[in-house]
Amino acid sequence: MTRLIESAGGDEARILEEGQKRLSALVCHDDWLPEEFARPHPDHYQQYLLYCDPLERFSVVSFVWGPGQTTPVHDHTVWGMVGVMRGAELCTEYAWQGQGRPLMAGRQHVLKPGEVDLVSPRIGDVHQVSNAVPHLPSVSIHVYGANIGAVARHVYSPETGEVKPFVSGYANAALPNIWDRSAEVRASLAA
Amino acid sequence: MTRLIESAGGDEARILEEGQKRLSALVCHDDWLPEEFARPHPDHYQQYLLYCDPLERFSVVSFVWGPGQTTPVHDHTVWGMVGVMRGAELCTEYAWQGQGRPLMAGRQHVLKPGEVDLVSPRIGDVHQVSNAVPHLPSVSIHVYGANIGAVARHVYSPETGEVKPFVSGYANAALPNIWDRSAEVRASLAA
Ligand SMILES: [Fe+3]
Ligand SMILES: [Fe+3]
Ligand SMILES: [Mg+2]
């Protein structure tokens, strides 16, 4: 992903086209996410940072919805890719029509494991995501064009069109150490 | 550090000169390292990965020596910077003189908080580092020109010159989440 971002520069369409293939390949396999980054919270959905680019050009986050849980209607202000890995998620798209006017609801679709949805201010940025399975958590892996937990963005009241500032943060103080390749290097030396 | 590595390309002398200033500024302040990355092990020194560059061009590691603890005599095969933050460390330099010949001991010096030592195959790469305070742990922050825990390097027997393969790995499965700037962004929005 680092190499893609560096070679694509700011070409969002190319990032999304290429990135979608890579994210789909990643979430087709549900055998790599440590359990502590797939843990639902009893009261609300969780977002766990897995990786952030050192220049904050992108971030990778696992989202976990318990049964019945949903996000507020929100935007991102940057490109984003939502890849479902476990369970299923209901995405509802909205269009903002101005302060004081209700949001217009758009396409609704259910994402299954391996499927990827795209958002951005260019292609449609306001949506709501809910767990679409009744009794189990759903887990998806998201990639965004910024350090998404630190982005000043917005939540919307669908009935009134009211817009409020939103900075999501992250639920986790510790990231997975994906860099300890020592066992593999030792094995290759012994071979 | 990412910007320095990108602008310096492979210019090791420039990386060490600039990097030494930044690392010294970092270890002059002992108020930022979470306690779990400063915890000594009762039996041996510890190394905790704090950050790894996504292209493995550099890594940042905290080393913790309990009282009486020491590294083996070892090399790095890449450039490295050792910045002491807490306690004091005794560094002993060695020169390898070939298989079957004892190592030649070189300069010995004690590093105090804020001081930085440099290693590399170009400027001298074989050394041993020990805790130089008798009753407390010492903590230093190291920066290396690779994902150091996954580098195939060597330990040396100083008496016989015997060389053995060495892949250090890391003690930690979880990295600090240094990316949650949400509180600061929320505060700036409220201001
Ligand atoms: Fe979203
Ligand atoms: Fe060393
Ligand atoms: Mg869409």
Side-chain angles (χ1 to χ4, degrees), chain A residues 51 54 56 147 150 167 169-170 172-175 177 179-182 185-186, chain B residues 2 51 54 56 147 150 167 170 172-175 177 179-181 185-186:
Chain A
Y51 177 75
E56 298 186 304
N147 175 6
V167 186
Y170 299 111
N172 54 320
L175 309 180
N177 182 353
W179 303 107
D180 194 345
R181 301 192 290 97
S182 57
V185 174
R186 278 186 209 110
Chain B
T2 299
Y51 177 75
E56 298 185 305
N147 175 6
V167 186
Y170 299 111
N172 55 322
L175 309 179
N177 181 354
W179 303 106
D180 194 346
R181 302 191 290 96
V185 175
R186 279 186 208 110

PDB file of all heavy atoms in Angstrom, chain A residues 51 54 56 147 150 167 169-170 172-175 177 179-182 185-186, chain B residues 2 51 54 56 147 150 167 170 172-175 177 179-181 185-186:
ATOM      1  N   TYR A  51      -2.614   0.191  11.341  1.00  0.00           N
ATOM      2  CA  TYR A  51      -1.402   0.740  10.744  1.00  0.00           C
ATOM      3  C   TYR A  51      -1.660   2.174  10.312  1.00  0.00           C
ATOM      4  O   TYR A  51      -2.722   2.459   9.758  1.00  0.00           O
ATOM      5  CB  TYR A  51      -0.966  -0.094   9.517  1.00  0.00           C
ATOM      6  CG  TYR A  51       0.236   0.508   8.849  1.00  0.00           C
ATOM      7  CD1 TYR A  51       1.491   0.375   9.432  1.00  0.00           C
ATOM      8  CD2 TYR A  51       0.110   1.270   7.706  1.00  0.00           C
ATOM      9  CE1 TYR A  51       2.594   0.984   8.866  1.00  0.00           C
ATOM     10  CE2 TYR A  51       1.215   1.888   7.132  1.00  0.00           C
ATOM     11  CZ  TYR A  51       2.453   1.727   7.724  1.00  0.00           C
ATOM     12  OH  TYR A  51       3.546   2.348   7.177  1.00  0.00           O
ATOM     13  N   PRO A  54       3.572   6.795   7.982  1.00  0.00           N
ATOM     14  CA  PRO A  54       4.328   7.768   8.783  1.00  0.00           C
ATOM     15  C   PRO A  54       4.062   9.222   8.377  1.00  0.00           C
ATOM     16  O   PRO A  54       4.216  10.116   9.200  1.00  0.00           O
ATOM     17  CB  PRO A  54       5.788   7.387   8.544  1.00  0.00           C
ATOM     18  CG  PRO A  54       5.799   6.540   7.320  1.00  0.00           C
ATOM     19  CD  PRO A  54       4.473   5.846   7.291  1.00  0.00           C
ATOM     20  N   GLU A  56       1.101  10.111   7.339  1.00  0.00           N
ATOM     21  CA  GLU A  56      -0.368  10.191   7.491  1.00  0.00           C
ATOM     22  C   GLU A  56      -1.075  10.292   6.141  1.00  0.00           C
ATOM     23  O   GLU A  56      -2.129  10.913   6.034  1.00  0.00           O
ATOM     24  CB  GLU A  56      -0.755  11.345   8.430  1.00  0.00           C
ATOM     25  CG  GLU A  56      -0.204  11.157   9.832  1.00  0.00           C
ATOM     26  CD  GLU A  56      -0.681  12.209  10.826  1.00  0.00           C
ATOM     27  OE1 GLU A  56      -0.474  13.405  10.564  1.00  0.00           O
ATOM     28  OE2 GLU A  56      -1.275  11.824  11.857  1.00  0.00           O
ATOM     29  N   ASN A 147      -4.837   9.868   8.306  1.00  0.00           N
ATOM     30  CA  ASN A 147      -4.917   9.265   9.641  1.00  0.00           C
ATOM     31  C   ASN A 147      -6.342   9.529  10.131  1.00  0.00           C
ATOM     32  O   ASN A 147      -6.623  10.522  10.794  1.00  0.00           O
ATOM     33  CB  ASN A 147      -3.879   9.918  10.553  1.00  0.00           C
ATOM     34  CG  ASN A 147      -3.977   9.438  11.990  1.00  0.00           C
ATOM     35  OD1 ASN A 147      -4.740   8.529  12.320  1.00  0.00           O
ATOM     36  ND2 ASN A 147      -3.182  10.056  12.862  1.00  0.00           N
ATOM     37  N   ALA A 150      -7.836  11.112  13.356  1.00  0.00           N
ATOM     38  CA  ALA A 150      -7.472  12.486  13.695  1.00  0.00           C
ATOM     39  C   ALA A 150      -8.035  13.498  12.699  1.00  0.00           C
ATOM     40  O   ALA A 150      -7.664  14.670  12.731  1.00  0.00           O
ATOM     41  CB  ALA A 150      -5.951  12.616  13.772  1.00  0.00           C
ATOM     42  N   VAL A 167     -14.594  13.875  15.419  1.00  0.00           N
ATOM     43  CA  VAL A 167     -13.211  13.376  15.352  1.00  0.00           C
ATOM     44  C   VAL A 167     -13.250  12.030  16.049  1.00  0.00           C
ATOM     45  O   VAL A 167     -13.480  11.956  17.252  1.00  0.00           O
ATOM     46  CB  VAL A 167     -12.216  14.325  16.050  1.00  0.00           C
ATOM     47  CG1 VAL A 167     -10.784  13.843  15.833  1.00  0.00           C
ATOM     48  CG2 VAL A 167     -12.382  15.764  15.576  1.00  0.00           C
ATOM     49  N   GLY A 169     -11.086   9.394  16.671  1.00  0.00           N
ATOM     50  CA  GLY A 169     -10.081   8.745  17.522  1.00  0.00           C
ATOM     51  C   GLY A 169     -10.007   7.251  17.253  1.00  0.00           C
ATOM     52  O   GLY A 169     -10.530   6.757  16.243  1.00  0.00           O
ATOM     53  N   TYR A 170      -9.351   6.533  18.164  1.00  0.00           N
ATOM     54  CA  TYR A 170      -9.216   5.074  18.063  1.00  0.00           C
ATOM     55  C   TYR A 170      -9.462   4.463  19.430  1.00  0.00           C
ATOM     56  O   TYR A 170      -9.206   5.103  20.447  1.00  0.00           O
ATOM     57  CB  TYR A 170      -7.810   4.692  17.588  1.00  0.00           C
ATOM     58  CG  TYR A 170      -7.460   5.229  16.216  1.00  0.00           C
ATOM     59  CD1 TYR A 170      -6.492   6.219  16.063  1.00  0.00           C
ATOM     60  CD2 TYR A 170      -8.096   4.753  15.077  1.00  0.00           C
ATOM     61  CE1 TYR A 170      -6.177   6.726  14.805  1.00  0.00           C
ATOM     62  CE2 TYR A 170      -7.786   5.249  13.815  1.00  0.00           C
ATOM     63  CZ  TYR A 170      -6.824   6.230  13.689  1.00  0.00           C
ATOM     64  OH  TYR A 170      -6.513   6.730  12.455  1.00  0.00           O
ATOM     65  N   ASN A 172      -7.845   1.831  20.555  1.00  0.00           N
ATOM     66  CA  ASN A 172      -6.680   1.072  21.029  1.00  0.00           C
ATOM     67  C   ASN A 172      -5.465   1.939  21.285  1.00  0.00           C
ATOM     68  O   ASN A 172      -5.125   2.820  20.496  1.00  0.00           O
ATOM     69  CB  ASN A 172      -6.311  -0.036  20.034  1.00  0.00           C
ATOM     70  CG  ASN A 172      -6.090   0.469  18.604  1.00  0.00           C
ATOM     71  OD1 ASN A 172      -6.819   1.337  18.121  1.00  0.00           O
ATOM     72  ND2 ASN A 172      -5.107  -0.086  17.941  1.00  0.00           N
ATOM     73  N   ALA A 173      -4.781   1.644  22.418  1.00  0.00           N
ATOM     74  CA  ALA A 173      -3.515   2.315  22.745  1.00  0.00           C
ATOM     75  C   ALA A 173      -2.321   1.536  22.213  1.00  0.00           C
ATOM     76  O   ALA A 173      -1.199   2.031  22.232  1.00  0.00           O
ATOM     77  CB  ALA A 173      -3.389   2.478  24.255  1.00  0.00           C
ATOM     78  N   ALA A 174      -2.555   0.305  21.709  1.00  0.00           N
ATOM     79  CA  ALA A 174      -1.452  -0.540  21.237  1.00  0.00           C
ATOM     80  C   ALA A 174      -1.776  -1.084  19.857  1.00  0.00           C
ATOM     81  O   ALA A 174      -2.890  -1.547  19.600  1.00  0.00           O
ATOM     82  CB  ALA A 174      -1.209  -1.687  22.210  1.00  0.00           C
ATOM     83  N   LEU A 175      -0.801  -1.014  18.966  1.00  0.00           N
ATOM     84  CA  LEU A 175      -0.942  -1.526  17.602  1.00  0.00           C
ATOM     85  C   LEU A 175      -0.341  -2.926  17.516  1.00  0.00           C
ATOM     86  O   LEU A 175       0.555  -3.254  18.290  1.00  0.00           O
ATOM     87  CB  LEU A 175      -0.162  -0.621  16.632  1.00  0.00           C
ATOM     88  CG  LEU A 175      -0.415   0.869  16.711  1.00  0.00           C
ATOM     89  CD1 LEU A 175       0.452   1.585  15.676  1.00  0.00           C
ATOM     90  CD2 LEU A 175      -1.882   1.164  16.468  1.00  0.00           C
ATOM     91  N   ASN A 177       2.283  -5.587  16.420  1.00  0.00           N
ATOM     92  CA  ASN A 177       3.674  -5.577  15.926  1.00  0.00           C
ATOM     93  C   ASN A 177       3.750  -6.528  14.740  1.00  0.00           C
ATOM     94  O   ASN A 177       3.866  -7.739  14.907  1.00  0.00           O
ATOM     95  CB  ASN A 177       4.635  -6.015  17.034  1.00  0.00           C
ATOM     96  CG  ASN A 177       6.095  -5.975  16.573  1.00  0.00           C
ATOM     97  OD1 ASN A 177       6.384  -5.752  15.401  1.00  0.00           O
ATOM     98  ND2 ASN A 177       7.013  -6.201  17.502  1.00  0.00           N
ATOM     99  N   TRP A 179       6.075  -6.506  12.544  1.00  0.00           N
ATOM    100  CA  TRP A 179       7.448  -6.442  12.034  1.00  0.00           C
ATOM    101  C   TRP A 179       8.358  -7.521  12.590  1.00  0.00           C
ATOM    102  O   TRP A 179       9.533  -7.570  12.218  1.00  0.00           O
ATOM    103  CB  TRP A 179       8.037  -5.059  12.337  1.00  0.00           C
ATOM    104  CG  TRP A 179       7.222  -3.973  11.755  1.00  0.00           C
ATOM    105  CD1 TRP A 179       6.402  -3.109  12.427  1.00  0.00           C
ATOM    106  CD2 TRP A 179       7.091  -3.640  10.365  1.00  0.00           C
ATOM    107  NE1 TRP A 179       5.780  -2.263  11.548  1.00  0.00           N
ATOM    108  CE2 TRP A 179       6.182  -2.561  10.278  1.00  0.00           C
ATOM    109  CE3 TRP A 179       7.651  -4.154   9.186  1.00  0.00           C
ATOM    110  CZ2 TRP A 179       5.828  -1.988   9.054  1.00  0.00           C
ATOM    111  CZ3 TRP A 179       7.290  -3.574   7.986  1.00  0.00           C
ATOM    112  CH2 TRP A 179       6.399  -2.511   7.929  1.00  0.00           C
ATOM    113  N   ASP A 180       7.890  -8.353  13.496  1.00  0.00           N
ATOM    114  CA  ASP A 180       8.797  -9.364  14.068  1.00  0.00           C
ATOM    115  C   ASP A 180       8.862 -10.565  13.142  1.00  0.00           C
ATOM    116  O   ASP A 180       8.170 -11.558  13.324  1.00  0.00           O
ATOM    117  CB  ASP A 180       8.374  -9.776  15.474  1.00  0.00           C
ATOM    118  CG  ASP A 180       9.504 -10.546  16.162  1.00  0.00           C
ATOM    119  OD1 ASP A 180      10.453 -10.976  15.452  1.00  0.00           O
ATOM    120  OD2 ASP A 180       9.454 -10.727  17.384  1.00  0.00           O
ATOM    121  N   ARG A 181       9.745 -10.471  12.131  1.00  0.00           N
ATOM    122  CA  ARG A 181       9.946 -11.551  11.170  1.00  0.00           C
ATOM    123  C   ARG A 181      11.133 -12.427  11.568  1.00  0.00           C
ATOM    124  O   ARG A 181      11.695 -13.144  10.740  1.00  0.00           O
ATOM    125  CB  ARG A 181      10.193 -10.950   9.778  1.00  0.00           C
ATOM    126  CG  ARG A 181       9.055 -10.075   9.273  1.00  0.00           C
ATOM    127  CD  ARG A 181       9.206  -9.731   7.794  1.00  0.00           C
ATOM    128  NE  ARG A 181      10.301  -8.816   7.519  1.00  0.00           N
ATOM    129  CZ  ARG A 181      11.525  -9.161   7.124  1.00  0.00           C
ATOM    130  NH1 ARG A 181      11.835 -10.437   6.939  1.00  0.00           N
ATOM    131  NH2 ARG A 181      12.443  -8.253   6.911  1.00  0.00           N
ATOM    132  N   SER A 182      11.525 -12.375  12.861  1.00  0.00           N
ATOM    133  CA  SER A 182      12.766 -13.041  13.260  1.00  0.00           C
ATOM    134  C   SER A 182      12.698 -14.563  13.123  1.00  0.00           C
ATOM    135  O   SER A 182      13.684 -15.184  12.707  1.00  0.00           O
ATOM    136  CB  SER A 182      13.136 -12.646  14.693  1.00  0.00           C
ATOM    137  OG  SER A 182      12.092 -12.946  15.597  1.00  0.00           O
ATOM    138  N   VAL A 185      13.326 -15.445   9.546  1.00  0.00           N
ATOM    139  CA  VAL A 185      14.724 -15.222   9.139  1.00  0.00           C
ATOM    140  C   VAL A 185      15.613 -16.316   9.727  1.00  0.00           C
ATOM    141  O   VAL A 185      16.476 -16.867   9.033  1.00  0.00           O
ATOM    142  CB  VAL A 185      15.214 -13.823   9.573  1.00  0.00           C
ATOM    143  CG1 VAL A 185      16.694 -13.646   9.273  1.00  0.00           C
ATOM    144  CG2 VAL A 185      14.392 -12.740   8.878  1.00  0.00           C
ATOM    145  N   ARG A 186      15.369 -16.673  10.998  1.00  0.00           N
ATOM    146  CA  ARG A 186      16.159 -17.763  11.607  1.00  0.00           C
ATOM    147  C   ARG A 186      15.968 -19.061  10.844  1.00  0.00           C
ATOM    148  O   ARG A 186      16.922 -19.793  10.596  1.00  0.00           O
ATOM    149  CB  ARG A 186      15.740 -17.976  13.067  1.00  0.00           C
ATOM    150  CG  ARG A 186      16.387 -16.994  14.016  1.00  0.00           C
ATOM    151  CD  ARG A 186      16.069 -17.298  15.482  1.00  0.00           C
ATOM    152  NE  ARG A 186      16.100 -16.045  16.232  1.00  0.00           N
ATOM    153  CZ  ARG A 186      15.044 -15.437  16.752  1.00  0.00           C
ATOM    154  NH1 ARG A 186      13.838 -16.012  16.657  1.00  0.00           N
ATOM    155  NH2 ARG A 186      15.178 -14.304  17.377  1.00  0.00           N
TER     156      ARG A 186
ATOM    157  N   THR B   2      11.371   9.821   8.858  1.00  0.00           N
ATOM    158  CA  THR B   2      10.973   9.362   7.526  1.00  0.00           C
ATOM    159  C   THR B   2      11.431  10.357   6.464  1.00  0.00           C
ATOM    160  O   THR B   2      12.000   9.978   5.435  1.00  0.00           O
ATOM    161  CB  THR B   2       9.441   9.216   7.459  1.00  0.00           C
ATOM    162  OG1 THR B   2       9.039   8.235   8.419  1.00  0.00           O
ATOM    163  CG2 THR B   2       8.995   8.769   6.075  1.00  0.00           C
ATOM    164  N   TYR B  51       8.758   1.602  16.563  1.00  0.00           N
ATOM    165  CA  TYR B  51       8.307   2.020  15.243  1.00  0.00           C
ATOM    166  C   TYR B  51       9.165   1.346  14.186  1.00  0.00           C
ATOM    167  O   TYR B  51      10.391   1.248  14.351  1.00  0.00           O
ATOM    168  CB  TYR B  51       8.418   3.551  15.085  1.00  0.00           C
ATOM    169  CG  TYR B  51       8.026   3.982  13.704  1.00  0.00           C
ATOM    170  CD1 TYR B  51       6.682   4.000  13.331  1.00  0.00           C
ATOM    171  CD2 TYR B  51       8.985   4.284  12.738  1.00  0.00           C
ATOM    172  CE1 TYR B  51       6.306   4.325  12.047  1.00  0.00           C
ATOM    173  CE2 TYR B  51       8.614   4.620  11.451  1.00  0.00           C
ATOM    174  CZ  TYR B  51       7.279   4.636  11.115  1.00  0.00           C
ATOM    175  OH  TYR B  51       6.903   4.944   9.837  1.00  0.00           O
ATOM    176  N   PRO B  54       7.715   1.551   6.969  1.00  0.00           N
ATOM    177  CA  PRO B  54       6.959   0.558   6.176  1.00  0.00           C
ATOM    178  C   PRO B  54       7.800  -0.142   5.121  1.00  0.00           C
ATOM    179  O   PRO B  54       7.476  -1.270   4.736  1.00  0.00           O
ATOM    180  CB  PRO B  54       5.838   1.384   5.530  1.00  0.00           C
ATOM    181  CG  PRO B  54       6.276   2.807   5.620  1.00  0.00           C
ATOM    182  CD  PRO B  54       7.119   2.891   6.855  1.00  0.00           C
ATOM    183  N   GLU B  56      10.943  -0.816   5.699  1.00  0.00           N
ATOM    184  CA  GLU B  56      12.013  -1.381   6.538  1.00  0.00           C
ATOM    185  C   GLU B  56      13.355  -0.677   6.311  1.00  0.00           C
ATOM    186  O   GLU B  56      14.402  -1.290   6.422  1.00  0.00           O
ATOM    187  CB  GLU B  56      12.130  -2.898   6.330  1.00  0.00           C
ATOM    188  CG  GLU B  56      10.855  -3.631   6.737  1.00  0.00           C
ATOM    189  CD  GLU B  56      10.971  -5.148   6.666  1.00  0.00           C
ATOM    190  OE1 GLU B  56      11.339  -5.654   5.586  1.00  0.00           O
ATOM    191  OE2 GLU B  56      10.724  -5.816   7.685  1.00  0.00           O
ATOM    192  N   ASN B 147      14.951  -3.004   9.636  1.00  0.00           N
ATOM    193  CA  ASN B 147      14.094  -3.606  10.665  1.00  0.00           C
ATOM    194  C   ASN B 147      14.998  -4.514  11.491  1.00  0.00           C
ATOM    195  O   ASN B 147      15.134  -5.706  11.218  1.00  0.00           O
ATOM    196  CB  ASN B 147      12.965  -4.390   9.994  1.00  0.00           C
ATOM    197  CG  ASN B 147      12.085  -5.146  10.978  1.00  0.00           C
ATOM    198  OD1 ASN B 147      12.243  -5.011  12.197  1.00  0.00           O
ATOM    199  ND2 ASN B 147      11.175  -5.935  10.454  1.00  0.00           N
ATOM    200  N   ALA B 150      14.819  -8.270  12.529  1.00  0.00           N
ATOM    201  CA  ALA B 150      14.740  -9.293  11.479  1.00  0.00           C
ATOM    202  C   ALA B 150      16.029  -9.380  10.661  1.00  0.00           C
ATOM    203  O   ALA B 150      16.066 -10.051   9.630  1.00  0.00           O
ATOM    204  CB  ALA B 150      13.558  -9.002  10.561  1.00  0.00           C
ATOM    205  N   VAL B 167      19.727 -13.413  15.204  1.00  0.00           N
ATOM    206  CA  VAL B 167      18.547 -12.652  14.766  1.00  0.00           C
ATOM    207  C   VAL B 167      17.797 -12.304  16.042  1.00  0.00           C
ATOM    208  O   VAL B 167      17.286 -13.176  16.730  1.00  0.00           O
ATOM    209  CB  VAL B 167      17.647 -13.484  13.817  1.00  0.00           C
ATOM    210  CG1 VAL B 167      16.511 -12.615  13.266  1.00  0.00           C
ATOM    211  CG2 VAL B 167      18.455 -14.108  12.689  1.00  0.00           C
ATOM    212  N   TYR B 170      12.008  -9.228  18.650  1.00  0.00           N
ATOM    213  CA  TYR B 170      11.535  -8.189  19.573  1.00  0.00           C
ATOM    214  C   TYR B 170      10.796  -8.849  20.722  1.00  0.00           C
ATOM    215  O   TYR B 170      10.200  -9.912  20.554  1.00  0.00           O
ATOM    216  CB  TYR B 170      10.594  -7.214  18.853  1.00  0.00           C
ATOM    217  CG  TYR B 170      11.241  -6.476  17.707  1.00  0.00           C
ATOM    218  CD1 TYR B 170      10.863  -6.738  16.390  1.00  0.00           C
ATOM    219  CD2 TYR B 170      12.241  -5.536  17.940  1.00  0.00           C
ATOM    220  CE1 TYR B 170      11.456  -6.055  15.332  1.00  0.00           C
ATOM    221  CE2 TYR B 170      12.841  -4.859  16.887  1.00  0.00           C
ATOM    222  CZ  TYR B 170      12.441  -5.127  15.587  1.00  0.00           C
ATOM    223  OH  TYR B 170      13.040  -4.463  14.549  1.00  0.00           O
ATOM    224  N   ASN B 172       8.160  -7.526  22.169  1.00  0.00           N
ATOM    225  CA  ASN B 172       6.769  -7.059  22.252  1.00  0.00           C
ATOM    226  C   ASN B 172       5.921  -7.452  21.048  1.00  0.00           C
ATOM    227  O   ASN B 172       6.356  -7.349  19.908  1.00  0.00           O
ATOM    228  CB  ASN B 172       6.726  -5.543  22.424  1.00  0.00           C
ATOM    229  CG  ASN B 172       7.487  -4.763  21.341  1.00  0.00           C
ATOM    230  OD1 ASN B 172       8.555  -5.187  20.898  1.00  0.00           O
ATOM    231  ND2 ASN B 172       6.934  -3.654  20.931  1.00  0.00           N
ATOM    232  N   ALA B 173       4.677  -7.889  21.342  1.00  0.00           N
ATOM    233  CA  ALA B 173       3.697  -8.190  20.290  1.00  0.00           C
ATOM    234  C   ALA B 173       2.849  -6.967  19.959  1.00  0.00           C
ATOM    235  O   ALA B 173       2.101  -6.982  18.984  1.00  0.00           O
ATOM    236  CB  ALA B 173       2.792  -9.337  20.718  1.00  0.00           C
ATOM    237  N   ALA B 174       2.952  -5.892  20.763  1.00  0.00           N
ATOM    238  CA  ALA B 174       2.116  -4.706  20.540  1.00  0.00           C
ATOM    239  C   ALA B 174       2.990  -3.455  20.542  1.00  0.00           C
ATOM    240  O   ALA B 174       3.862  -3.288  21.400  1.00  0.00           O
ATOM    241  CB  ALA B 174       1.057  -4.597  21.625  1.00  0.00           C
ATOM    242  N   LEU B 175       2.753  -2.586  19.579  1.00  0.00           N
ATOM    243  CA  LEU B 175       3.478  -1.323  19.459  1.00  0.00           C
ATOM    244  C   LEU B 175       2.663  -0.208  20.093  1.00  0.00           C
ATOM    245  O   LEU B 175       1.435  -0.289  20.145  1.00  0.00           O
ATOM    246  CB  LEU B 175       3.674  -0.978  17.975  1.00  0.00           C
ATOM    247  CG  LEU B 175       4.254  -2.061  17.081  1.00  0.00           C
ATOM    248  CD1 LEU B 175       4.356  -1.547  15.654  1.00  0.00           C
ATOM    249  CD2 LEU B 175       5.615  -2.487  17.592  1.00  0.00           C
ATOM    250  N   ASN B 177       0.482   3.024  20.066  1.00  0.00           N
ATOM    251  CA  ASN B 177      -0.322   3.764  19.079  1.00  0.00           C
ATOM    252  C   ASN B 177       0.021   5.244  19.223  1.00  0.00           C
ATOM    253  O   ASN B 177      -0.511   5.933  20.094  1.00  0.00           O
ATOM    254  CB  ASN B 177      -1.820   3.522  19.303  1.00  0.00           C
ATOM    255  CG  ASN B 177      -2.671   4.249  18.272  1.00  0.00           C
ATOM    256  OD1 ASN B 177      -2.165   5.017  17.458  1.00  0.00           O
ATOM    257  ND2 ASN B 177      -3.973   3.991  18.306  1.00  0.00           N
ATOM    258  N   TRP B 179      -0.553   7.460  16.992  1.00  0.00           N
ATOM    259  CA  TRP B 179      -1.319   8.181  15.966  1.00  0.00           C
ATOM    260  C   TRP B 179      -2.636   8.734  16.458  1.00  0.00           C
ATOM    261  O   TRP B 179      -3.347   9.392  15.685  1.00  0.00           O
ATOM    262  CB  TRP B 179      -1.570   7.255  14.770  1.00  0.00           C
ATOM    263  CG  TRP B 179      -0.299   6.745  14.210  1.00  0.00           C
ATOM    264  CD1 TRP B 179       0.204   5.478  14.333  1.00  0.00           C
ATOM    265  CD2 TRP B 179       0.677   7.483  13.453  1.00  0.00           C
ATOM    266  NE1 TRP B 179       1.426   5.387  13.704  1.00  0.00           N
ATOM    267  CE2 TRP B 179       1.732   6.610  13.164  1.00  0.00           C
ATOM    268  CE3 TRP B 179       0.750   8.807  13.014  1.00  0.00           C
ATOM    269  CZ2 TRP B 179       2.864   7.007  12.437  1.00  0.00           C
ATOM    270  CZ3 TRP B 179       1.869   9.203  12.292  1.00  0.00           C
ATOM    271  CH2 TRP B 179       2.899   8.299  12.011  1.00  0.00           C
ATOM    272  N   ASP B 180      -3.011   8.481  17.708  1.00  0.00           N
ATOM    273  CA  ASP B 180      -4.318   8.978  18.158  1.00  0.00           C
ATOM    274  C   ASP B 180      -4.193  10.428  18.592  1.00  0.00           C
ATOM    275  O   ASP B 180      -4.031  10.732  19.768  1.00  0.00           O
ATOM    276  CB  ASP B 180      -4.902   8.105  19.271  1.00  0.00           C
ATOM    277  CG  ASP B 180      -6.380   8.431  19.474  1.00  0.00           C
ATOM    278  OD1 ASP B 180      -6.840   9.474  18.965  1.00  0.00           O
ATOM    279  OD2 ASP B 180      -7.084   7.640  20.126  1.00  0.00           O
ATOM    280  N   ARG B 181      -4.273  11.340  17.619  1.00  0.00           N
ATOM    281  CA  ARG B 181      -4.196  12.775  17.876  1.00  0.00           C
ATOM    282  C   ARG B 181      -5.597  13.390  18.008  1.00  0.00           C
ATOM    283  O   ARG B 181      -5.772  14.602  17.873  1.00  0.00           O
ATOM    284  CB  ARG B 181      -3.441  13.473  16.732  1.00  0.00           C
ATOM    285  CG  ARG B 181      -2.034  12.951  16.517  1.00  0.00           C
ATOM    286  CD  ARG B 181      -1.221  13.825  15.569  1.00  0.00           C
ATOM    287  NE  ARG B 181      -1.677  13.757  14.178  1.00  0.00           N
ATOM    288  CZ  ARG B 181      -2.512  14.599  13.582  1.00  0.00           C
ATOM    289  NH1 ARG B 181      -3.001  15.639  14.245  1.00  0.00           N
ATOM    290  NH2 ARG B 181      -2.861  14.450  12.330  1.00  0.00           N
ATOM    291  N   VAL B 185      -6.996  17.382  18.110  1.00  0.00           N
ATOM    292  CA  VAL B 185      -7.795  17.935  16.999  1.00  0.00           C
ATOM    293  C   VAL B 185      -9.120  18.471  17.529  1.00  0.00           C
ATOM    294  O   VAL B 185      -9.552  19.569  17.159  1.00  0.00           O
ATOM    295  CB  VAL B 185      -8.023  16.876  15.897  1.00  0.00           C
ATOM    296  CG1 VAL B 185      -8.955  17.410  14.809  1.00  0.00           C
ATOM    297  CG2 VAL B 185      -6.690  16.439  15.297  1.00  0.00           C
ATOM    298  N   ARG B 186      -9.753  17.720  18.452  1.00  0.00           N
ATOM    299  CA  ARG B 186     -11.016  18.198  19.048  1.00  0.00           C
ATOM    300  C   ARG B 186     -10.805  19.518  19.778  1.00  0.00           C
ATOM    301  O   ARG B 186     -11.609  20.437  19.657  1.00  0.00           O
ATOM    302  CB  ARG B 186     -11.567  17.161  20.037  1.00  0.00           C
ATOM    303  CG  ARG B 186     -12.318  16.039  19.362  1.00  0.00           C
ATOM    304  CD  ARG B 186     -12.997  15.095  20.372  1.00  0.00           C
ATOM    305  NE  ARG B 186     -13.090  13.767  19.766  1.00  0.00           N
ATOM    306  CZ  ARG B 186     -12.387  12.713  20.141  1.00  0.00           C
ATOM    307  NH1 ARG B 186     -11.552  12.782  21.172  1.00  0.00           N
ATOM    308  NH2 ARG B 186     -12.527  11.567  19.510  1.00  0.00           N
TER     309      ARG B 186
END
